[in-house]
Amino acid sequence: MPRLHLFDLDGTLLHGTTAPVEISRQVGREAETVALDRAIAEGRIGPPEYAARVYDLWLDLTEAHVSAAFAAAPWLTRIREVWAEIRGVGDYCAVVSLSPSFFVERLLGWGAHAAHGSRFPAVPFTEPVDPAGALSAAAKVTVAERLCKQFGVSRADCVAYGDSLSDKDLFASVPVSVAVNADGHLAGLATHSYTGRDLWDAYELVRAMP
């Protein structure tokens, strides 16, 4: 039976940062977005409010800004090599993130079979964001279930990779998980734990599992 590897983005594939912060850096709104990240991490705002407020910071965002943010972001090394290996053995890999869809979906070009983020309009914005399209921790589980059906695997064949509170529900719903540079919210939940900058080393923890 093939496995489905589910990767978080912020703090997991991206080291020590989030996609919104990297995007905002390109338009001079980094400090405001760091404050929003802190607010959502502390539970003072939820995903819908976060999406609405970060959208307001990005009204002048262009595709060039997004491309620059993606290129300059501090990615873990060997992401594409891990996903090529996963594909090569007949498994599946997907990214499920609370970050904006227009950023997350760029990872399809690196070899992910699927990439799901909070629904945002295309850049440059010509329509408002729908806060109801913002993913939550619980929504990650719903997306994972949909991906299982799409790829013909069961929840028992899933491996989750994450770093924080937004991954807690997903970690609790799958049998194998890897905490990557994780904070205390995943303590005691993860099957494996990895600290470092190389995704291959994190993948090695589950690579040989049947």
Side-chain angles (χ1 to χ4, degrees):
M1 178 69 70
R3 291 191 295 177
L4 171 58
H5 298 258
L6 298 158
F7 295 90
D8 172 55
L9 173 62
D10 301 320
T12 303
L13 298 178
L14 286 176
H15 186 265
T17 187
T18 67
V21 167
E22 295 305 304
I23 294 165
S24 294
R25 182 173 289 123
Q26 299 296 321
V27 291
R29 301 285 192 276
E30 179 183 357
E32 295 95 320
T33 307
V34 168
L36 287 177
D37 278 4
R38 187 177 303 114
I40 195 170
E42 294 172 356
R44 291 185 280 115
I45 62 174
E49 182 178 352
Y50 181 96
R53 291 176 64 177
V54 79
Y55 172 88
D56 287 341
L57 298 177
W58 295 341
L59 293 179
D60 55 352
L61 192 65
T62 67
E63 189 66 20
H65 289 134
V66 180
S67 294
F70 191 89
W75 299 99
L76 293 193
T77 60
R78 294 201 284 180
I79 294 173
R80 281 170 279 198
E81 289 85 349
V82 168
W83 292 351
E85 159 102 354
I86 287 172
R87 282 178 168 270
V89 300
D91 288 347
Y92 300 97
C93 53
V95 182
V96 185
S97 171
L98 274 58
S99 277
S101 52
F102 61 78
F103 190 94
V104 179
E105 289 166 4
R106 286 173 170 258
L107 289 166
L108 293 171
W110 283 12
H113 287 94
H116 291 269
S118 294
R119 291 196 309 273
F120 269 70
V123 175
F125 299 144
T126 58
E127 56 186 282
V129 67
D130 179 2
L135 292 188
S136 63
K140 283 190 171 188
V141 178
T142 302
V143 172
E145 290 173 344
R146 189 162 69 244
L147 289 171
C148 284
K149 292 178 182 177
Q150 178 181 339
F151 297 125
V153 303
S154 72
R155 188 90 65 84
D157 301 306
C158 289
V159 181
Y161 304 75
D163 75 302
S164 65
L165 182 62
S166 71
D167 304 300
K168 191 171 182 177
D169 289 0
L170 186 58
F171 272 40
S173 73
V174 301
V176 180
S177 55
V178 182
V180 179
N181 297 315
D183 62 26
H185 290 104
L186 299 183
L189 274 180
T191 314
H192 304 279
S193 182
Y194 170 73
T195 301
R197 300 290 296 269
D198 189 335
L199 187 64
W200 187 276
D201 290 342
Y203 170 61
E204 284 271 24
L205 297 173
V206 298
R207 184 184 182 204
M209 293 180 63

